[in-house]
Amino acid sequence: AQTVTQSQPEMSVQEAETVTLSCTYDTSENNYYLFWYKQPPSRQMILVIRQEAYKQQNATENRFSVNFQKAAKSFSLKISDSQLGDTAMYFCAFMRNRDDKIIFGKGTRLHILP
Amino acid sequence: DAGITQSPRHKVTETGTPVTLRCHQTENHRYMYWYRQDPGHGLRLIHYSYGVKDTDKGEVSDGYSVSRSKTEDFLLTLESATSSQTSVYFCAIRVTRRTEAFFGQGTRLTVV
């Protein structure tokens, strides 16, 4: 069975700093999909970024980028120039294929301090 | 916005009563999911559906059942609510031919 592990329950950084959230996963599949979701205090779940395992290039969305290390089964999220609005719970997620379920980690609560 | 509506948004119910939560989508996407969110546990999958009358269990399906008699509605039923089922419940859909999921706004259920 696939598992997703986020080892940092909570983090705090100063505004404008760069922060990296860790995620590891376990699978025997070769092709799969990985995601980072953000949940601000409003409780709405928002997709931040996604990565397809067969693509070697790391995904980037504005200030958000990932470091995808397939051999190590690691999928970390880097937030550059952090802003107060980045304060949220962040979830790493895994999907084996397009017909499968999506499995989430337990989340990392990120606080951006003014 | 994938047109997802969860109802009710808040509910308080008594132990032992049945409860049904509804997830409605407006765009006829194939995949729908029910998750529960609890502190320290993240989002855990309860049940999911990959088409009308096609459903499967997730990791925390005990005490829950689902039905999907039409594409746009995915119902989650707590057959006999217990205090351990107090949680925030999220419905999600996955857009056909795409990989990302879109979530409803959640239902806060309290079992007293």
Side-chain angles (χ1 to χ4, degrees):
Chain A
Q2 288 77 25
T3 59
V4 177
T5 302
Q6 294 181 248
S7 59
Q8 304 151 311
E10 196 160 2
M11 300 179 70
S12 296
V13 297
Q14 295 294 136
E15 191 177 7
E17 290 184 348
T18 294
V19 58
T20 298
L21 281 59
S22 301
C23 174
T24 59
Y25 57 93
D26 187 27
T27 184
S28 58
E29 303 291 327
N30 189 44
N31 292 321
Y32 46 85
Y33 303 88
L34 295 162
F35 310 89
W36 279 99
Y37 281 85
K38 170 184 177 181
Q39 186 183 43
S42 67
R43 208 168 69 188
Q44 182 65 42
M45 292 285 289
I46 303 164
L47 177 68
V48 175
I49 201 165
R50 67 176 168 178
Q51 176 81 39
E52 297 167 38
Y54 65 87
K55 292 185 177 179
Q56 293 185 341
Q57 186 173 5
N58 288 326
T60 299
E61 290 286 344
N62 301 312
R63 297 182 296 107
F64 298 87
S65 61
V66 298
N67 183 6
F68 174 49
Q69 300 290 327
K70 191 173 183 179
K73 297 180 183 176
S74 172
F75 183 61
S76 60
L77 175 70
K78 184 172 82 171
I79 305 174
S80 303
D81 186 24
S82 57
Q83 301 175 359
L84 296 178
D86 296 333
T87 291
M89 181 74 85
Y90 287 82
F91 292 100
C92 180
F94 171 97
M95 184 172 71
R96 188 172 54 180
N97 57 54
R98 290 173 183 259
D99 291 321
D100 203 13
K101 53 190 179 288
I102 304 171
I103 302 299
F104 286 82
K106 293 184 178 181
T108 296
R109 187 175 297 280
L110 177 65
H111 303 274
I112 307 299
L113 307 173
Chain B
D1 185 1
I4 309 168
T5 304
Q6 288 186 232
S7 58
R9 295 289 310 281
H10 302 272
K11 187 171 181 66
V12 179
T13 192
E14 293 186 348
T15 299
T17 60
V19 177
T20 295
L21 308 183
R22 180 183 184 229
C23 179
H24 177 79
Q25 59 154 324
T26 59
E27 300 184 12
N28 294 322
H29 295 300
R30 182 178 174 188
Y31 300 96
M32 300 184 76
Y33 308 82
W34 276 109
Y35 292 89
R36 59 177 289 175
Q37 182 178 12
D38 304 287
H41 291 278
L43 277 81
R44 292 181 290 176
L45 182 66
I46 307 172
H47 283 278
Y48 63 109
S49 170
Y50 39 95
V52 173
K53 298 185 179 179
D54 287 327
T55 64
D56 206 348
K57 295 179 179 181
E59 61 181 306
V60 290
S61 59
D62 286 349
Y64 301 94
S65 62
V66 289
S67 66
R68 193 168 178 199
S69 58
K70 46 186 179 177
T71 304
E72 58 265 36
D73 287 325
F74 191 31
L75 304 180
L76 176 71
T77 297
L78 287 65
E79 293 142 9
S80 178
T82 67
S83 58
S84 65
Q85 293 176 312
T86 291
S87 187
V88 177
Y89 291 85
F90 283 97
C91 173
I93 68 160
R94 191 154 57 78
V95 175
T96 305
R97 292 186 296 279
R98 292 174 63 179
T99 57
E100 64 266 35
F102 295 91
F103 285 77
Q105 294 190 310
T107 295
R108 182 175 293 279
L109 176 68
T110 302
V111 183
V112 298

